[in-house]
Amino acid sequence: MKSWYLHVLLLTALLVNENLVQWALAVQVGGYTVAEGFRDAFEYFTLFGYLFFTAFRLVPYVVIGVILVILSKSKFNDYVLPVFAGGLIGILAMILWGSWMAQRPYYTDEHVSSTTAIAFLIIPFYAIPTGAIGAALLAIMYTPFRSMFRRKETEQAPAGDALKAAPEE
């Protein structure tokens, strides 16, 4: 499957959400048991609310997905894995951190903002630059090893394939 990364991005966007973070907060910060934390996090769950926030949460995943599709069809297709991994790490870091910070007051003595829900609409847009930074960092880290990996591929290819792998002059 050539577009496996799109499936991983979609699955991550669907599963990693504010309810999952609230459950982790309830258990870690609130001292709830796993079952109590689940009940607390999903007490006001509705399918409409989930789909509404998912539409916003999908934005950074779609952006990195489009970049990956374009990259996979270019001569730099070997960068797909580092860009995917770095982008996913960057996106998840912002979404998890932002959701954690927005909901942390529920389980501490801090003041709970009346506009916490708006944060779930804004956080995905902040995840776009963090995803881009993560993707760029891993791509830069991969670059020195790129020629070594590409050389190894051409050495392992059969003699007929070596002519195809060699750049045209």
Side-chain angles (χ1 to χ4, degrees), residues 28 88 130 157:
Q28 291 294 317
L88 185 60
T130 59

PDB file of all heavy atoms in Angstrom, residues 28 88 130 157:
ATOM      1  N   GLN A  28      -4.218  11.039  35.713  1.00  0.00           N
ATOM      2  CA  GLN A  28      -2.907  11.509  36.168  1.00  0.00           C
ATOM      3  C   GLN A  28      -2.985  12.637  37.187  1.00  0.00           C
ATOM      4  O   GLN A  28      -2.301  12.622  38.188  1.00  0.00           O
ATOM      5  CB  GLN A  28      -2.059  11.970  34.976  1.00  0.00           C
ATOM      6  CG  GLN A  28      -1.622  10.855  34.072  1.00  0.00           C
ATOM      7  CD  GLN A  28      -0.666   9.917  34.763  1.00  0.00           C
ATOM      8  OE1 GLN A  28       0.235  10.329  35.472  1.00  0.00           O
ATOM      9  NE2 GLN A  28      -0.878   8.634  34.566  1.00  0.00           N
ATOM     10  N   LEU A  88       4.076  14.241  12.039  1.00  0.00           N
ATOM     11  CA  LEU A  88       3.144  13.639  12.996  1.00  0.00           C
ATOM     12  C   LEU A  88       3.546  13.952  14.433  1.00  0.00           C
ATOM     13  O   LEU A  88       2.703  14.303  15.262  1.00  0.00           O
ATOM     14  CB  LEU A  88       3.075  12.122  12.781  1.00  0.00           C
ATOM     15  CG  LEU A  88       2.048  11.375  13.620  1.00  0.00           C
ATOM     16  CD1 LEU A  88       0.639  11.879  13.341  1.00  0.00           C
ATOM     17  CD2 LEU A  88       2.142   9.882  13.348  1.00  0.00           C
ATOM     18  N   THR A 130       3.919  23.645  13.986  1.00  0.00           N
ATOM     19  CA  THR A 130       4.729  22.684  14.746  1.00  0.00           C
ATOM     20  C   THR A 130       4.931  21.405  13.944  1.00  0.00           C
ATOM     21  O   THR A 130       5.992  20.790  14.011  1.00  0.00           O
ATOM     22  CB  THR A 130       4.109  22.361  16.122  1.00  0.00           C
ATOM     23  OG1 THR A 130       2.809  21.813  15.951  1.00  0.00           O
ATOM     24  CG2 THR A 130       4.062  23.592  17.003  1.00  0.00           C
ATOM     25  N   ALA A 157      20.802  -3.473  -6.205  1.00  0.00           N
ATOM     26  CA  ALA A 157      19.945  -3.725  -7.361  1.00  0.00           C
ATOM     27  C   ALA A 157      20.668  -4.606  -8.363  1.00  0.00           C
ATOM     28  O   ALA A 157      21.890  -4.504  -8.527  1.00  0.00           O
ATOM     29  CB  ALA A 157      19.567  -2.395  -8.020  1.00  0.00           C
TER      30      ALA A 157
END
